[in-house]
Amino acid sequence: MDDPILNIEEREAINAGRWFSSLSPSLRHDILRCAYVKRYKDGELIAARGDPPEEWIACAKGAVRVSSTSISGKQITLTYVEPGIWFGDVSIFDGDRRTHDAYAHGDSTILCVAKADFRKILATHVELYEAMLRLHARRIRQLYGLVEDLNTLPLRARLAKQLLHLVRSYGVPSLSDSREMRIGLQLAQEELAQLLGASRQRVNQELKAMEREEAIRIEPGGLLVRNREALLRIAESDN
């Protein structure tokens, strides 16, 4: 599945990443110059918990499902890494092993920088240290936001926020109505429930309620967001 060259769509996804696009042209050039491409089929393992940190990774196409395994052996999805997002650097910095499993969700492409090359770029570009601090600070803010939402918002509001995030990251205009957006990331309701720390049954109830309110439509192939403004109102509600 390896291919030495990113296609146009994949390169655009990397270059358009909010964090990566903030770097200087020379730093972006040096990162891409030593990066190599790997391609995975749906469900293939990208990195396993306990692996030594050998690569810094970015998603260029599809998604990377980050998961953990419960004591009973059940896989629990924690998050999905979308195109343009870099990850795997924490283990390189602290020298510890990978803490979670990473799988391809759908046919996916990742861009990798070997640990030795990552350290060489750090030595050459002092700018990268500050950039990594900004990246880690953003992750910490997001983590605190998730914890706050989990403790202060009802499931209905958290679900609406998650759907809005998925639309921003994976939204595809509907062929029948350009105002409607189909979520391109294929998620089972069980996986959506795991992201929210809730049961599939409760998430299903909330989705059906949103469908009755004509905010979304549940289809065999996934979810269609019909009214983003309605989802925004639900997300901002604390009732």
Side-chain angles (χ1 to χ4, degrees):
M1 290 296 292
D2 292 5
D3 189 318
I5 300 174
L6 293 174
N7 63 34
I8 294 175
E9 180 183 356
E10 292 164 348
R11 182 173 287 271
E12 287 179 349
I14 293 293
N15 287 328
R18 178 182 169 188
W19 176 81
F20 189 76
S21 64
S22 72
L23 306 179
S24 67
S26 62
L27 177 52
R28 294 199 305 269
H29 174 269
D30 282 0
I31 291 172
L32 294 175
R33 180 174 56 83
C34 63
Y36 48 95
V37 176
K38 291 184 178 181
R39 302 184 190 279
Y40 293 87
K41 292 289 189 182
D42 179 42
E44 286 188 327
L45 180 67
I46 296 173
R49 180 175 184 169
D51 281 352
E54 300 297 341
E55 297 171 324
W56 183 37
I57 305 170
C59 180
K61 174 190 172 185
V64 177
R65 178 170 60 85
V66 179
S67 65
S68 183
T69 304
S70 68
I71 296 176
S72 64
K74 180 181 179 182
Q75 275 201 352
I76 305 297
T77 299
L78 302 174
T79 190
Y80 289 89
V81 178
E82 64 201 61
I85 301 296
W86 291 79
F87 65 101
D89 42 87
V90 172
S91 294
I92 294 179
F93 276 118
D94 68 14
D96 208 346
R97 294 179 178 272
R98 302 289 191 197
T99 54
H100 299 92
D101 299 317
Y103 293 89
H105 188 80
D107 290 345
S108 301
T109 302
I110 64 170
L111 192 65
C112 304
V113 176
K115 178 171 67 175
D117 288 327
F118 178 72
R119 294 193 178 281
K120 287 178 183 177
I121 297 171
L122 276 173
T124 305
H125 296 269
V126 177
E127 169 198 352
L128 185 54
Y129 278 102
E130 184 177 345
M132 295 306 299
L133 284 174
R134 291 198 308 270
L135 180 61
H136 292 171
R138 184 180 303 162
R139 290 173 181 164
I140 292 170
R141 286 180 182 272
Q142 291 172 342
L143 179 59
Y144 275 120
L146 288 172
V147 173
E148 181 180 7
D149 287 351
L150 186 61
N151 285 280
T152 62
L153 294 181
L155 175 60
R156 174 178 166 85
R158 289 190 284 120
L159 176 57
K161 290 184 73 170
Q162 183 66 60
L163 294 179
L164 288 167
H165 170 73
L166 291 172
V167 165
R168 286 192 297 270
S169 303
Y170 294 98
V172 179
S174 170
L175 295 177
S176 58
D177 188 340
S178 60
R179 294 170 299 179
E180 299 180 340
M181 298 288 286
R182 189 178 309 281
I183 296 176
L185 185 68
Q186 299 298 311
L187 291 181
Q189 287 190 15
E190 176 65 28
E191 293 171 314
L192 185 57
Q194 289 175 7
L195 291 178
L196 297 165
S199 69
R200 185 193 63 78
Q201 291 80 4
R202 287 193 62 206
V203 168
N204 179 259
Q205 290 172 0
E206 296 294 351
L207 287 173
K208 287 182 177 178
M210 291 179 184
E211 186 172 41
R212 289 192 297 270
E213 296 164 19
E214 299 185 346
I216 66 168
R217 183 162 68 244
I218 304 171
E219 298 182 339
L223 293 173
L224 183 78
V225 174
R226 303 181 61 190
N227 190 330
R228 274 181 285 183
E229 288 72 22
L231 281 181
L232 275 170
R233 289 193 294 271
I234 295 171
E236 292 170 355
S237 171
D238 58 1
N239 294 327

